[in-house]
């Protein structure tokens, strides 16, 4: 018996040591990307304190509400701790409110109350944030659930301690209920994308009695317990002893004040701050552990898990669970409360590339719910979203909802109304939408001529043509799978070749084309925007995701295409910004990375390196992919190389570190690069494990000499989704010099539409 008793604490200790070692969330640095501004984006992120895909995120605020650069690493003062829903500074925030503690004289004004703080006394983790406000001698801690949060304020001895709840401007209300130690209210701030009745209802419950209360309404401070106006703030005050802790439990709802109370009860209830924090940590670790690295430096691991965290934030869950446990959502499209899932805050132009494919691989259940949400968005608005925040927003180009839907469905994800989604996709192929980003802007020209002309007043016409053509290839595959009429399949197969209509063989570049068939002139391949979107022809010429072989045919063969791809990295980074009238930040990010015309900081070219797999020269891609991972990604505040964009730039790293990338969602293939770690083990939702190992990996051994799949030599330059789902072992033999014979035969190349009939 004595022996047993003494063994128990030993085992517990061992377990503790083990769990401490494997808390992957500790490797995540949410401050990566925050050393950014309008002129230069090293990520343009803010530290999102949240659960994966949470309905609400929380962030410390160094800037005022009107400034979308919420948290800038170089700033030295904090003015609030904000519930945020911002997907990108270029779109802005909505439905935000903040909490802020003070001591001494009450200062309500957002610009005057800001307190000095330091990164030296700050902890930022996905599930937990801590900062010390030196002006007030108060420590603030935050931890989050999907729709709620807990705050822990540690006050000094003070006869006048305060907590402010700033519901911000553009319409808000606050109400203080001292008997219940509660503040309720709503905020309505937004920049668009919502119906007239849009509200974010919040409830905040404190564990300390208030001795005084006040409200502030449009600059007037009164003792009223209720304020409703453009900009309102609630203030509660009390005395505190040295080190006294005051807890606040916060929740919100887009549906109703009652639902906000329900969200608070359901997600926090009687839990302490530490319990909520432990739950949040466990929730992150559960997801992070499903992609388990071995080997790699400490910094590579920090970079990897930070990227994985960013890949799992957007699109956010915009649904709530009602009193009878049904999934319901407030529709940002028609203002009604309706059954079913809805997700938002996403630009598909960015995320179709690698974020959505990541979900199909690692989170098929989530992917299914997102697809159901798309069907709901179509029901509620008549259109599929392309850039939602929370409703449709006019931003970017393309028809990429078709890509996300096709990729999910063809990868076997079910549980949603594919018939309805296909109907929505077909509608897009024949109609312009109420906003240029919805439906297909320029569709009549596209369908008649096979391209959108340069000279008919539709901006970024060639980029639109290229993205529609890829979407049409996706639709042709989905149509086939759904058993649609042959005429329909043929129509989309024909349109899938429309990329060739904007290719000019005289310059071997994609180029704007006029209505009469002549090409736009004069032509500069380094002109940003104009016929293209946030890039030049150097970047958009490769936008033939479904048919690299077809592009090679247009260019005069694979050798010529490979030479042009080589030039991408060696050509001086000249540029013409006349379309934008200024050097947009994406141009600057290309210039400073010293990789020629290659502009990894923006999405159009992010698949480009992997095209070497289609040209029989995979070693060049292996080299470049490691260059990008090593140079352009770090675990530091300036550790990204352009807008992070809803997880896309991070998902590029996550996939690339695994050793493959989904160049063309819809094909069910992932093109090989060069894995970063000695081993990564994926634990799939179906319970199987897929191991990617590269035992000899090092900073010198970046080339792939040989690959085996389940111990058999594997000659392909890609792996199929279905082979990963089976579980198994993919092994890369890494060497310091290129193997110039592996992966050089047509049979090894990933999918190209033009090779289907080879
Ligand atoms: Ca971007």
């Amino acid at each position: 018996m004595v022996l047993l008793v003494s063994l128990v604490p030993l085992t517990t200790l061992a377990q503790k040591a083990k769990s401490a070692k494997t808390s992957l969330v500790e490797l995540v640095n949410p401050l990566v990307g925050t050393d950014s501004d309008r002129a230069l984006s090293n990520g343009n992120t803010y530290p999102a304190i949240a659960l994966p895909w949470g309905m609400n995120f929380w962030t410390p605020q160094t800037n005022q509400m009107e400034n979308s650069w919420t948290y800038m690493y170089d700033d030295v003062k904090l003015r609030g701790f904000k519930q945020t829903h911002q997907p990108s500074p270029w779109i802005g925030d909505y439905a935000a409110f903040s909490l802020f503690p003070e001591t001494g004289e009450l200062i309500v004004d957002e610009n005057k109350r800001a307190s000095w703080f330091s990164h030296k006394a700050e902890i930022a983790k996905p599930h937990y944030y801590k900062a010390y406000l030196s002006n007030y001698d108060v420590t603030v801690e935050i931890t989050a659930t999907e729709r709620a949060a807990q705050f822990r304020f540690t006050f000094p001895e003070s006869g006048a301690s305060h907590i402010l709840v700033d519901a911000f401007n553009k319409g808000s209300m606050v109400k203080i209920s001292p008997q219940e130690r509660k503040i309720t209210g709503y905020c309505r701030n937004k920049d668009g994308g919502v119906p007239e009745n849009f509200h974010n209802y919040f409830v905040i419950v404190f564990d300390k009695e208030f001795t005084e209360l006040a409200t502030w309404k449009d600059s007037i401070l009164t003792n009223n317990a209720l304020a409703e106006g453009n900009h309102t703030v609630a203030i509660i005050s009390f005395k505190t002893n040295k080190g006294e802790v005051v807890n606040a439990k916060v929740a919100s709802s887009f549906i109703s004040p009652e639902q906000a109370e329900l969200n608070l009860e359901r997600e926090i209830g009687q839990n302490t701050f530490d319990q909520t924090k432990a739950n949040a940590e466990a929730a992150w670790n559960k997801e992070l552990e499903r992609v388990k690295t071995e080997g790699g430096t400490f910094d590579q691991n920090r970079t990897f898990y930070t990227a994985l965290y960013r890949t799992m934030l957007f699109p956010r869950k915009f649904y709530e669970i009602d009193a009878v446990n049904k999934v319901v959502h407030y529709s940002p499209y028609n203002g009604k409360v309706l059954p079913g899932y809805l997700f938002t805050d996403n630009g598909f132009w960015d995320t179709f590339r690698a974020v959505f494919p990541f979900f199909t691989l690692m989170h098929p259940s989530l992917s299914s719910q997102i697809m159901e949400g798309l069907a709901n968005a179509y029901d509620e608005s008549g259109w599929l979203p392309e850039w939602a925040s929370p409703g449709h927003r006019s931003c970017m180009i393309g028809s990429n909802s078709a890509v996300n839907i096709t990729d999910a469905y063809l990868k076997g994800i079910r549980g949603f109304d594919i018939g309805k989604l296909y109907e929505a996709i077909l509608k897009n192929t024949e109609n312009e939408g109420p906003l240029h980003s919805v439906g297909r802007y320029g569709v009549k020209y596209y369908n008649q001529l096979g391209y959108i002309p340069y000279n008919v007043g539709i901006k970024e016409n060639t980029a639109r043509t290229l993205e529609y053509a890829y979407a049409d290839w996706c639709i042709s595959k989905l149509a086939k799978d759904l058993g649609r009429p042959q005429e329909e399949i043929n129509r989309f197969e024909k349109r899938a070749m429309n990329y060739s209509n904007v290719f000019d063989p005289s310059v071997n570049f994609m180029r704007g084309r006029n209505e009469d068939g002549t090409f736009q002139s004069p032509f500069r391949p380094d002109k940003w925007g104009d016929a293209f979107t946030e890039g030049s022809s150097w970047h958009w010429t490769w936008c033939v995701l479904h048919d690299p072989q077809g592009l090679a045919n247009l260019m005069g063969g694979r050798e010529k295409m490979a030479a042009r791809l080589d030039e991408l990295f060696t050509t001086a980074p000249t540029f013409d910004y006349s379309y934008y009238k200024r050097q947009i930040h994406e141009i600057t990010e290309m210039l400073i990375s010293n990789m020629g015309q290659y502009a990894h900081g923006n999405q159009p070219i992010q698949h480009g390196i992997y095209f070497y797999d289609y040209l029989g020269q995979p070693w060049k891609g292996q080299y470049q992919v490691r260059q990008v991972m090593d140079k352009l990604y770090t675990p530091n505040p300036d550790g990204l190389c352009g807008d992070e964009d809803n997880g896309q730039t991070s998902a590029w790293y996550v996939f690339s570190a695994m050793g493959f990338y989904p160049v063309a969602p819809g094909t069910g293939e992932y093109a090989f690069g060069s894995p970063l770690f000695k081993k990564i083990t994926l634990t799939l939702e179906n319970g199987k494990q897929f191991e990617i190992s590269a035992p000899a990996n090092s900073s010198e051994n970046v080339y792939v000499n040989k690959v085996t799949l389940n111990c058999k030599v594997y000659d392909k330059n890609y792996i199929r989704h279905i082979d990963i789902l089976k579980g198994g072992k993919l092994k890369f033999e890494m060497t310091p010099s290129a193997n110039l014979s592996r992966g050089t035969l047509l049979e090894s190349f990933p999918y190209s539409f033009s090779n289907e009939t080879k």
Side-chain angles (χ1 to χ4, degrees), residues 361-374:
L361 183 60
M362 297 305 298
H363 302 278
S365 302
L366 174 83
S367 180
S368 169
Q369 293 169 3
I370 293 173
M371 291 303 133
E372 184 190 320
L374 291 183

Side-chain angles (χ1 to χ4, degrees), residues 241-302:
N241 299 318
K242 184 173 167 56
E244 184 171 344
V245 170
V246 176
N247 285 285
K249 296 176 176 178
V250 190
S252 65
S253 167
F254 294 108
I255 293 173
S256 68
E258 297 74 30
Q259 181 67 44
E261 298 270 3
L262 197 58
N263 291 343
L264 186 65
E265 182 54 36
R266 198 189 301 274
E267 298 192 1
I268 291 188
Q270 298 309 307
N271 284 357
T272 63
F273 183 94
D274 288 327
Q275 284 169 326
T276 300
K277 183 185 169 202
N279 290 342
E281 180 177 15
W284 274 108
N285 280 337
K286 179 171 166 257
E287 302 301 349
L288 298 173
E289 279 164 9
R290 294 184 53 211
V291 189
K292 188 77 183 71
T293 62
E294 290 174 50
T297 65
F298 182 56
D299 273 2
Q300 283 170 339
N301 277 286
R302 290 174 71 211

Side-chain angles (χ1 to χ4, degrees), residues 349-350 534 602-603 643 645:
W349 183 79
D350 299 288
E534 288 186 357
N602 208 17
Q603 282 65 37
D643 290 347
D645 282 333

Side-chain angles (χ1 to χ4, degrees), residues 307-496:
L308 193 51
Y309 148 78
R310 291 263 169 221
T311 305
M312 296 191 289
L313 288 171
F314 297 103
R316 76 175 70 259
K317 298 174 176 179
F318 204 70
Y319 64 86
E320 302 174 51
I321 313 296
D322 74 6
V324 291
N325 290 321
K326 288 246 164 56
V327 173
V328 289
H329 65 271
Y330 166 82
S331 171
Y333 300 105
N334 65 16
K336 294 178 183 165
V337 176
L338 295 163
Y341 291 104
L342 200 80
F343 292 77
T344 193
D345 289 323
N346 218 261
F348 290 169
W349 183 79
D350 299 288
T351 55
F352 86 82
R353 301 162 198 274
V355 178
F356 274 79
F358 181 80
F359 297 161
T360 64
L361 183 60
M362 297 305 298
H363 302 278
S365 302
L366 174 83
S367 180
S368 169
Q369 293 169 3
I370 293 173
M371 291 303 133
E372 184 190 320
L374 291 183
N376 289 332
Y378 173 64
D379 267 345
E380 293 159 25
S381 73
W383 300 94
L384 289 167
E386 300 293 339
W387 225 122
S389 180
H392 298 304
R393 304 297 290 273
S394 200
C395 189
M396 305 314 291
I397 63 154
S399 196
N400 297 304
S401 52
V403 180
N404 289 340
I405 294 163
T406 298
D407 192 42
Y409 192 78
L410 295 186
K411 282 174 176 168
I413 291 164
R414 296 292 184 271
F416 54 91
D417 188 346
I418 188 62
K420 182 176 292 174
L421 288 176
Y422 188 75
E423 174 194 314
I425 287 171
L426 279 191
K427 181 178 175 183
N428 278 347
T429 66
E430 294 296 333
N431 293 279
E432 293 191 346
L435 313 168
H436 287 170
S437 63
V438 171
R440 288 191 179 188
Y441 185 43
V443 70
K444 288 198 173 57
Y445 289 107
Y446 177 81
N447 288 352
Q448 261 168 28
L449 298 172
Y451 65 96
I452 303 172
Y454 176 81
N455 60 344
V456 295
I458 296 169
K459 290 175 175 176
E460 306 175 14
N461 33 75
T462 301
R464 290 178 200 276
T465 299
L466 291 167
E467 292 205 348
Y468 294 169
Y470 169 51
D472 284 339
W473 173 84
C474 287
I475 297 167
S476 76
K477 292 297 169 196
L478 183 58
K480 210 171 209 173
D481 202 81
L482 294 175
R484 300 290 301 180
Q486 192 58 42
E487 176 280 324
E488 198 168 293
I489 298 164
N490 293 347
R491 188 187 339 146
F492 290 110
E493 285 186 344
K494 184 163 179 282
R495 288 180 186 170

